[in-house]
Amino acid sequence: MRRLLEMRALMICMSVSLLIAAVGCTKPSEPPQGQAPPEKSEVQGVPANPGSPSSTPQTQPLASRPAPVVPKPAPVTVAEGTAVAVRTVQTLSTKTAENGTKFEATLREPLIAGSYVVAPKGARAFGVVSNSDDGGRVKGRASITVQLTSLEVDGREVDITTSSVTHVAKGTKKEDAVKVGVASGIGAAIGAIAGGGKGAAIGAGAGAGAGTGVVLATKGDPAVIPSEAPLTFKLRAPLTVTRN
């Protein structure tokens, strides 16, 4: 009986020893005295010390994005046949202007394509004398022909093609008739003094011939387009420009 009790006591002691040993294995190791405990290790990607530079999460560079595409303004077109109304800046005359002489004008009305103002009122226009004819001594009245070649649009000069405008000098038939009549009268008076009625007839004919010679030897008035003259041309080809 005594032996049995001793064996039980021994078994209890051994069980207690094993339990103490198991508890000792699971307890975390204590740092040596005077030494700070180590920092906790990163768990699931979280740094132990978020404030340290090495642990600051790095920002990944964003993928380069293409610049937004800004749509270009659609061009507008002024149709062929559209009227271009201008006012001349300087005087043009067959006395001084030759073929190729340039001139300047300004728009009397804005040039519009739909609802878009291509060139406002007052915009500068440029043209050329395409034909300057002083009429000569036989051909008749003088004439001058002009047309536009370009237009100022948004500060730049744009070529255009337009119809032409012609100004003709005033007729001088009445003045010519007066000249011939005066010459005939003078000739008739001289003939009458020299030889009576027959002489008067001869003198009148001679005077008329002399008067006609004076008319043929004298040029007519020049053709003139004065400054500030209103002229209207028409586009001979469409004018296409880009919106601002």
Side-chain angles (χ1 to χ4, degrees), residues 9 30 79 84 124 145 150 153 162 190 194 231 239:
E30 294 289 339
V84 183
R124 299 165 68 194
T145 302
S150 60
V153 177
T162 69
I190 295 174
L231 305 177
L239 170 61

Side-chain angles (χ1 to χ4, degrees), residues 109-138:
E109 300 292 340
L111 188 63
I112 299 175
S115 59
Y116 183 76
V117 177
V118 175
K121 180 180 178 180
R124 299 165 68 194
F126 306 92
V128 67
V129 175
S130 57
N131 186 44
S132 178
D133 182 4
D134 61 6
R137 296 183 178 179
V138 178

Side-chain angles (χ1 to χ4, degrees), residues 124-127 148-152 157-160:
R124 299 165 68 194
F126 306 92
L148 296 180
T149 57
S150 60
L151 179 66
E152 190 176 63
E157 197 172 327
V158 178
D159 293 338
I160 58 175

Side-chain angles (χ1 to χ4, degrees), residues 63 74 103 207:
F103 70 94

Side-chain angles (χ1 to χ4, degrees), residues 180-211:
V180 173
V182 170
S184 299
I186 294 174
I190 295 174
I193 294 173
K198 186 176 181 180
I202 295 172

